[in-house]
Amino acid sequence: MFPRLLAPIFFALAMTGTALAQDAPPQQVQVWSIPETVRLGQAIWRQDMASARATDAFLAAYAGKLPEGLIGWIVVEDGRNQRVRFLAGTMDAPRAFKDVVVDDRLRAGAVVDAADLTLTPDELARFSARMTAAQGIGTLRCAARYNPVILKNPDGEGWLVWLLASTTQPGLVPMGGHYRFHISADGKTVERREQLSSSCLDMDSSQVRQGGQIAGLFTNVIVAPQPLEIHVFLSLLNQLPIYTSAGDKLWEVNGARIQPVNR
């Protein structure tokens, strides 16, 4: 199982308190085809893992003491690799500070000075999209910290931003509390906020690993007629199957595979 390597991470979106009260009942969320749902889930997992691995390398380079002036990070594609760009400056005028390239096997390279401190328009929009989403989170707070993932919207211009409920507790799987945002191309406007669960739900994966057997976790999905990309992400992250009751079917999400369970 891949460990969460973000214990002291100042970059995660810290939320004050944990409000268990929820918004009005969540609306049905957008769904994509099963292949596209799998692709998005894999991309979320890769970016989340790249952020974690790069942050570990960054902290190690500074002996665990964070330099002043850091305001966050973004992840950009770099061929088959991912470049994690740690940013300094201000929220209104961010600039590149350090880069860590994470390869396609999720191995972090060296922490190096950014070759150009000026962010591209695409990078500025990514950072803006992240901060815009953070400011628009709803009242369902299932974790003290949320990790962001930013991808281009497959349906056109703009961004999809996920705020992922996170934990540093071994074996705990936050099944609920995740958000998806549709953000404008300039990163400044929330076009749609989607709550991907109706409530908080933490599951103990150690209970399904006893005796070396992995049975999987089970959850109900009431906001969509099928499993979501978040279930693919959680299955990959925790390396276990997730069974979801959605619509009128029982589904198995096992890593990069989603299929109905015959009944």
Side-chain angles (χ1 to χ4, degrees):
M1 174 180 176
F2 286 111
R4 296 292 291 187
L5 306 176
L6 300 174
I9 297 311
F10 63 106
F11 304 115
L13 301 172
M15 304 298 173
T16 56
T18 300
L20 297 182
Q22 65 182 65
D23 297 334
Q27 302 295 315
Q28 293 288 294
V29 303
Q30 180 174 348
V31 296
W32 289 273
S33 67
I34 294 298
E36 183 65 8
T37 298
V38 168
R39 186 193 71 80
L40 287 171
Q42 289 177 301
I44 293 169
W45 173 73
R46 288 187 69 252
Q47 189 174 128
D48 184 68
M49 290 299 297
S51 299
R53 297 289 168 82
T55 301
D56 280 353
F58 187 87
L59 289 173
Y62 284 91
K65 296 181 180 179
L66 302 172
E68 295 183 1
L70 294 170
I71 61 172
W73 85 95
I74 56 173
V75 183
V76 295
E77 296 296 323
D78 187 357
R80 296 181 62 182
N81 302 329
Q82 299 177 89
R83 182 179 299 273
V84 182
R85 312 211 73 192
F86 295 94
L87 308 181
T90 66
M91 295 298 181
D92 293 330
R95 65 177 185 273
F97 174 53
K98 299 287 184 178
D99 285 345
V100 179
V101 173
V102 179
D103 68 19
D104 60 352
R105 297 179 64 183
L106 297 176
R107 298 174 300 190
V111 180
V112 300
D113 292 335
D116 186 348
L117 302 186
T118 302
L119 299 181
T120 68
D122 178 271
E123 291 169 342
L124 286 169
R126 285 176 188 265
F127 185 68
S128 293
R130 168 189 169 160
M131 303 314 298
T132 298
Q135 294 166 4
I137 193 169
T139 59
L140 182 69
R141 308 285 178 84
C142 299
R145 290 178 179 271
Y146 276 72
N147 295 328
V149 167
I150 305 102
L151 298 173
K152 290 189 175 180
N153 192 328
D155 293 333
E157 295 184 354
W159 306 93
L160 294 177
V161 179
W162 288 264
L163 298 184
L164 307 171
S166 67
T167 181
T168 57
Q169 182 176 332
L172 191 68
V173 180
M175 195 68 70
H178 310 287
Y179 286 89
R180 183 207 295 151
F181 291 79
H182 299 246
I183 306 290
S184 60
D186 63 3
K188 297 180 179 180
T189 303
V190 175
E191 297 176 340
R192 184 177 179 184
R193 175 175 65 84
E194 297 175 303
Q195 184 177 305
L196 301 183
S197 65
S198 60
S199 63
C200 300
L201 178 61
D202 291 336
M203 293 186 168
D204 184 358
S205 66
S206 65
Q207 295 180 358
V208 301
R209 297 180 187 276
Q210 296 176 355
Q213 300 296 316
I214 301 178
L217 299 175
F218 176 83
T219 186
N220 288 306
V221 179
I222 66 172
V223 297
Q226 66 176 53
L228 299 170
E229 69 281 357
I230 199 69
H231 301 114
V232 176
F233 160 70
L234 290 171
S235 178
L236 288 167
L237 181 66
N238 296 281
Q239 294 191 336
L240 51 76
I242 295 176
Y243 295 91
T244 67
S245 176
D248 60 353
K249 294 181 180 180
L250 177 64
W251 302 80
E252 180 191 37
V253 181
N254 197 343
R257 183 181 68 196
I258 298 176
Q259 62 182 5
V261 177
N262 293 329
R263 292 190 290 177

